[in-house]
Amino acid sequence: MTDLAAPTALDAFLTRARDRLRPEPPGPHDSTSNPRGDHDLEPDVLEAALSRPPRLAAVLVPVVPRDDGVSVLFTLRASHLRDHSGQIAFPGGKIDPGDPSPLAAALREANEEIGLDPAAVTPLGYLDPYLSGTGFLVTPVVGLVAPDAGLSLNPHEVAEAFEVPLDFLMNVANHALHSREWRGRQRRYYAIPFGERYIWGVTAGIVRNLYDRLRDADE
């Protein structure tokens, strides 16, 4: 007999999110000397990234409840973009002077990029700030997205939107360390291949931070 009181995958995720995510974003004057970032794997990246004031950005980590479990929404950036074209990303971008908070910036960018209505997103908390090797300090906002929320992709920025099961992303066996040449030397980075999708770099690093936040101590 099915135990109707048994917690669902969504219940379990929401409990962990409530207990383990940051309830508030890091403040604008917080030290950036020890954020998560590309330097987790390549420590010398930190000095270069902090050689000038970091550029502030925010992304939405959209978590979507489905009948068969919980998934995470990603975007595939348009191929003609100047920066990071054709790469898998979370909706987001630079925090504008008119944005009152990282949450506001992440929701604005998600609306501009994929037509996600901010009213369809319930903020759950924040991951650690992520410092990229290119000098962006990214605040990831984890939000629960209504499963019936409609999307309207902006073709100037996004080629596709797709979902990956949260269980797959939270299985450390699916986290790989890859390397490639960058600025004249081999650099290591996290990668999470999912079928034909190749999640890597900052996006995979943020997923890894989500895993570190939500996992049990003995995992």
Side-chain angles (χ1 to χ4, degrees):
M1 177 180 295
T2 301
D3 182 1
L4 298 181
T8 66
L10 178 60
D11 293 333
F13 167 74
L14 292 177
T15 297
R16 292 194 180 204
R18 183 184 63 247
D19 293 342
R20 304 179 187 186
L21 297 180
R22 286 173 173 252
E24 300 291 338
H29 302 298
D30 287 0
S31 171
T32 60
S33 63
N34 192 31
R36 300 297 302 271
D38 293 348
H39 57 278
D40 285 358
L41 298 175
E42 299 288 349
D44 65 305
V45 171
L46 183 61
E47 182 178 354
L50 292 177
S51 62
R52 57 182 179 178
R55 293 169 286 177
L56 302 182
V59 298
L60 179 66
V61 181
V63 178
V64 189
R66 297 297 184 194
D67 290 342
D68 56 351
V70 180
S71 66
V72 177
L73 178 68
F74 294 87
T75 67
L76 179 67
R77 290 172 60 82
S79 59
H80 61 266
L81 292 175
R82 184 183 65 180
D83 297 322
H84 309 296
S85 61
Q87 293 185 14
I88 291 172
F90 290 116
K94 290 184 290 186
I95 298 177
D96 290 344
D99 292 321
S101 66
L103 171 61
L107 293 177
R108 173 183 56 77
E109 287 281 350
N111 182 254
E112 293 174 1
E113 292 181 7
I114 59 175
L116 179 61
D117 185 351
V121 182
T122 301
L124 299 177
Y126 300 84
L127 297 174
D128 299 323
Y130 191 99
L131 183 65
S132 75
T134 53
F136 280 97
L137 187 64
V138 183
T139 299
V141 183
V142 181
L144 187 68
V145 177
D148 58 352
L151 302 181
S152 178
L153 306 188
N154 178 349
H156 298 293
E157 298 191 52
V158 174
E160 284 184 67
F162 64 95
E163 297 178 19
V164 177
L166 180 66
D167 281 350
F168 180 90
L169 297 172
M170 295 298 99
N171 184 347
V172 71
N174 297 321
H175 300 187
L177 279 177
H178 291 177
S179 67
R180 67 175 56 184
E181 185 173 316
W182 185 66
R183 295 183 179 178
R185 61 161 290 181
Q186 287 293 117
R187 296 288 188 183
R188 295 179 301 158
Y189 56 89
Y190 283 115
I192 307 174
F194 178 69
E196 63 182 13
R197 311 289 189 181
Y198 188 65
I199 304 167
W200 71 287
V202 172
T203 304
I206 291 173
V207 171
R208 179 73 180 200
N209 187 195
L210 180 65
Y211 164 77
D212 287 339
R213 279 274 170 175
L214 298 185
R215 71 186 177 96
D216 290 328
D218 58 351
E219 291 180 335

